[in-house]
Amino acid sequence: MTIREQTEALEERTLSPYATLAARSRGREREEELCPLRTVFARDRDRIIHCKAFRRLKYKTQVFLAPVGDHYHTRMTHTLEVAQIARTISRALRLNEDLTEAIALGHDLGHTPFGHAGERALDEIHPDGFAHHAQSLRVVKKLENDGKGLNLTWEVRDGILNHTSGSMPSTPEGRIVRLADRIAYLNHDIDDALRGGVLTDEEIPWETRYVLGRTHSQRINALVVDTVENSTGELITMSPRVEQAFLALRRFMFEQVYTNPIAKSEEGKAEYILKRLYDHFLHHTDELHAEFRRICEEDGAQTAVCDYIAGMTDRFAIQVYEDIFIPQAWNK
């Protein structure tokens, strides 16, 4: 037996009856030779970590645009925290950690620069609309690897596409990532809001502090432990008491942080930048990189321009905007 086959046999013996086994994956869109060491889900995880879109997450906004300070969260740190929370839950429920981690690491690959402000801008201007979960799937199916995509398994692609609103993921591992995403962003956004002076500890609703705890670690621990204690493996859920506190905290964050003028003060500028870039490249497709000129021929100019802008980091979008629209100093 290969090491991969030994791992698959171990999964069969030790994982929950509800776990998604690598040996029973629905497979890839294009067949390929199996790895002698890694299961198909472990291989997917590694492909995501090594892809270009994953590296760009380091310079994409989470909530605060262009924050001053080294400790604010980015799309990369958010992704890593989602993966950590999801793996903890998955391990406790004896589900497939490799699948869970692959979905978590890939779930935001299609996010725009400037966070949800960028997503709104592209959704408004692009005729087909824009949603980051659908774009994340497009990244792994087509945009990575010189247009060939990463050829991920069906289970990972399903989890990436359905990690946010809309249809539920088909696997319990995907449903764990969907919940872990919310647990992660609510808690690290509180940290960033406290650091940025948008919130104080005393403003956090007392009922959520009483149920979930006062600190970052206490809240995450309470949510994770409660999820493990109340989930069956197939059904991923919280107790009514903890879920109610969690939803109250989410409402509070939307009211006090996600629409707060301090946190959102630069979003209008960010949306303006992306809309100007979209319009410019739509009329100057010859300025696109070769890979996106190819997409112009295959899927149309609007899709190619949307792909190009969605893949930008915050700082690259600003630099491109300045290069195109801001007069440069002239040197003799």
Side-chain angles (χ1 to χ4, degrees), residues 2-243:
T2 64
I3 292 175
R4 185 202 76 252
E5 289 170 334
Q6 293 176 39
T7 302
E8 291 171 347
L10 185 64
E11 286 184 357
E12 185 81 46
R13 293 195 305 270
T14 61
L15 293 186
S16 162
Y18 300 109
T20 307
L21 301 180
R24 300 181 190 175
S25 168
R26 292 175 58 170
R28 307 181 186 280
E29 290 186 306
R30 302 185 302 277
E31 290 188 14
E32 55 186 59
E33 186 177 351
L34 293 172
C35 175
L37 301 180
R38 297 166 296 169
T39 68
V40 290
F41 298 146
R43 201 174 192 182
D44 283 357
R45 174 202 60 209
D46 296 350
R47 287 180 179 180
I48 291 168
I49 288 175
H50 289 284
C51 77
K52 292 183 294 184
F54 185 79
R55 294 195 292 274
R56 292 196 299 269
L57 295 176
K58 179 179 180 182
Y59 296 108
K60 292 197 176 193
T61 286
Q62 178 60 28
V63 171
F64 291 85
L65 300 183
V68 177
D70 294 332
H71 298 133
Y72 287 91
H73 288 79
T74 65
R75 193 63 58 179
M76 171 73 82
T77 57
H78 162 72
T79 295
L80 295 176
E81 290 184 20
V82 172
Q84 177 269 316
I85 292 169
R87 282 191 60 191
T88 298
I89 297 172
S90 186
R91 180 183 301 163
L93 295 175
R94 293 191 298 117
L95 298 174
N96 196 308
E97 283 187 63
D98 289 334
L99 173 57
T100 304
E101 187 175 24
I103 296 169
L105 293 174
H107 82 281
D108 268 355
L109 291 179
H111 231 300
T112 60
F114 309 124
H116 290 287
E119 185 171 17
R120 283 196 304 272
L122 287 183
D123 188 44
E124 289 176 14
I125 198 169
H126 185 50
D128 295 332
F130 183 90
H132 77 271
H133 58 282
Q135 188 69 12
S136 295
L137 181 63
R138 181 167 171 79
V139 167
V140 301
K141 287 189 68 173
K142 181 164 185 173
L143 300 184
E144 278 292 329
N145 197 20
D146 298 322
K148 295 187 289 290
L150 301 180
N151 197 28
L152 303 181
T153 56
W154 181 90
E155 292 80 4
V156 173
R157 287 183 277 119
D158 171 80
I160 288 173
L161 178 63
N162 297 306
H163 79 269
T164 185
S165 58
S167 300
M168 290 294 290
S170 299
T171 66
E173 290 85 359
R175 294 191 286 275
I176 286 174
V177 173
R178 185 181 170 105
L179 180 58
D181 183 31
R182 290 156 174 74
I183 293 173
Y185 77 65
L186 279 181
N187 282 284
H188 62 54
D189 291 351
I190 290 174
D191 273 3
D192 285 351
L194 292 171
R195 183 171 289 108
V198 176
L199 283 183
T200 64
D201 274 321
E202 290 70 28
E203 290 177 294
I204 298 174
W206 70 266
E207 60 269 27
T208 64
R209 285 185 287 165
Y210 178 77
V211 176
L212 304 179
R214 294 183 59 92
T215 69
H216 179 85
S217 61
Q218 287 174 349
R219 286 190 296 269
I220 290 179
N221 185 70
L223 291 165
V224 169
V225 170
D226 186 80
T227 298
V228 170
E229 290 177 345
N230 289 277
S231 297
T232 62
E234 180 180 28
L235 177 66
I236 308 301
T237 189
M238 299 176 183
S239 66
R241 176 171 176 266
V242 168
E243 183 178 36

